[in-house]
């Protein structure tokens, strides 16, 4: 901590540090609210799952989707699908894959507004 000439300078320094922390907290809260707002505005598309011998196939129906905005992300056992519609709305889908599915083998194909996600089974 720097050396201060008097108590007033120390107090001003501490107040400025608190203001910086509050600004950071405020920005984080705004980001969180924006994320929640986007989630509320989003639609959950209909989908079906088919288990085949060597994989799982997820067929997701996203009418009027702008497939150029399609984003599919994976984590250990979760797949998230984001896509905007041509009218500016958002589709969002999050689902858990079975334990015998390999999240590193995700393949995505598109057929107009149908999104097909294939996840191979672990061997």
């Amino acid at each position: 901590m720097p050396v201060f000439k008097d108590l007033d300078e120390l107090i001003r320094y501490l107040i400025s540090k608190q203001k910086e922390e509050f600004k950071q907290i405020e920005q984080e809260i705004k980001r969180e609210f924006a994320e929640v707002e986007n989630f509320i505005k989003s639609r959950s598309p209909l989908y079906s799952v088919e288990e085949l011998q060597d994989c799982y196939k997820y067929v997701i129906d996203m009418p009027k989707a702008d497939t150029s905005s399609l984003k599919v992300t994976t984590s250990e056992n979760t797949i998230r699908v984001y896509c905007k519609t041509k009218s500016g709305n958002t589709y969002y889908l999050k689902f858990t894959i079975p334990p015998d599915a390999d999240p590193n083998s995700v393949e995505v194909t598109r057929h107009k507004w149908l999104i097909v996600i294939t996840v191979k089974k672990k061997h």
Side-chain angles (χ1 to χ4, degrees), residues 16-78:
S16 70
K17 285 295 184 187
Q18 285 295 310
K19 284 182 180 180
E20 287 176 26
E21 287 181 32
F22 283 132
K23 279 185 182 181
Q24 289 175 349
I25 292 170
E26 181 182 29
Q27 289 172 350
E28 187 174 328
I29 289 171
K30 284 180 181 180
R31 278 193 303 271
E32 292 291 328
F33 272 116
E35 188 174 317
V36 168
E37 187 177 333
N38 287 337
F39 177 75
I40 290 171
K41 289 180 181 178
S42 68
R43 298 177 178 175
S44 183
L46 296 175
Y47 73 100
S48 63
V49 181
E50 181 181 6
E51 181 178 1
L52 302 173
Q53 188 171 355
D54 62 340
C55 66
Y56 294 94
K57 190 174 280 195
Y58 297 84
V59 179
I60 306 167
D61 183 21
M62 296 185 178
K64 300 183 182 179
D66 176 7
T67 54
S68 67
S69 68
L70 178 68
K71 292 180 187 173
V72 178
T73 59
T74 61
S75 61
E76 291 177 21
N77 65 346
T78 304

Side-chain angles (χ1 to χ4, degrees), residues 100-119:
D100 65 335
D102 180 7
N104 297 319
S105 68
V106 173
E107 293 179 18
V108 180
T109 56
R110 299 177 285 191
H111 303 283
K112 292 191 178 187
W113 296 321
L114 289 177
I115 309 302
V116 179
I117 298 176
T118 305
V119 185

Side-chain angles (χ1 to χ4, degrees), residues 66-94:
D66 176 7
T67 54
S68 67
S69 68
L70 178 68
K71 292 180 187 173
V72 178
T73 59
T74 61
S75 61
E76 291 177 21
N77 65 346
T78 304
I79 295 179
R80 289 179 178 82
V81 181
Y82 306 90
C83 192
K84 291 190 176 193
T85 64
K86 294 177 181 180
S87 61
N89 293 321
T90 304
Y91 283 114
Y92 173 75
L93 178 63
K94 174 184 169 184

